Amino acid sequence: MTNLVEIDGGDGVPPEPNWRLIFGRAPDREAASAYWKSIISELRGAEKLAVANSHSIKRLVVAYVTYDISAKEVLKSGPVIKAKKTGVPTYNPWWTTMSNADSQAAALEKSLCISPRERGTGAKVEKKVKRQQAGGGYLKNRG
């Protein structure tokens, strides 16, 4: 497995997305921000945080928030509802959305090595070490 290398010019932490562009409701944006910070903290602690993972982290946050929204709706009306036109019992569309969000989140957690089972499998991000030269780079900066 290849090791990930930190990108120069930053602390290796991807910038938090503008949740206002994705979620219309303030509670959803607040939940997304809390999930983002939690995931970033988890990945940083496991030394697996890289800017290259920012889009995967964003998709994971969207899956979490979508799951939460869907779960609330399923709790209101149940996993099975009567179809409006026929009255025949059918799966609640929110149940399907919740199930899909759960599957997406599980796959992304595995990909990012977030779940405890996967933590040991992913590569750690190597921090670039700047070598000090004799003279502290004085001659390089003078010319």
Side-chain angles (χ1 to χ4, degrees), residues 56-91:
S56 292
I57 298 168
K58 180 179 175 181
R59 290 183 315 198
L60 178 57
V61 169
V62 170
Y64 283 170
V65 175
T66 300
Y67 181 92
D68 292 346
I69 293 167
S70 302
K72 287 176 191 172
E73 294 299 323
V74 169
L75 289 172
K76 284 182 193 173
S77 53
V80 177
I81 58 173
K82 290 185 179 182
K84 290 182 181 180
K85 290 184 179 179
T86 62
V88 176
T90 186
Y91 280 111

Side-chain angles (χ1 to χ4, degrees), residues 89-142:
T90 186
Y91 280 111
N92 186 338
W94 287 106
W95 177 265
T96 305
T97 304
M98 184 179 75
S99 178
N100 289 341
D102 178 57
S103 296
Q104 289 172 350
L108 288 163
E109 287 169 345
K110 183 175 182 172
S111 167
L112 291 167
C113 302
I114 290 177
S115 64
R117 184 177 196 169
E118 301 297 329
R119 271 191 203 134
T121 61
K124 292 188 177 190
V125 176
E126 292 180 9
K127 302 288 181 185
K128 276 195 169 181
V129 179
K130 294 183 180 179
R131 291 191 287 163
Q132 290 293 329
Q133 298 175 346
Y138 174 77
L139 295 176
K140 184 176 182 181
N141 295 332
R142 299 283 295 176

Side-chain angles (χ1 to χ4, degrees), residues 6-40:
E6 181 180 14
I7 296 173
D8 285 336
D11 59 358
V13 178
E16 184 171 356
N18 182 353
W19 300 117
R20 189 175 291 274
L21 298 175
I22 300 170
F23 299 110
R25 296 176 350 114
D28 298 336
R29 292 191 298 267
E30 291 167 9
S33 184
Y35 284 133
W36 177 270
K37 289 172 183 155
S38 174
I39 294 165
I40 294 293

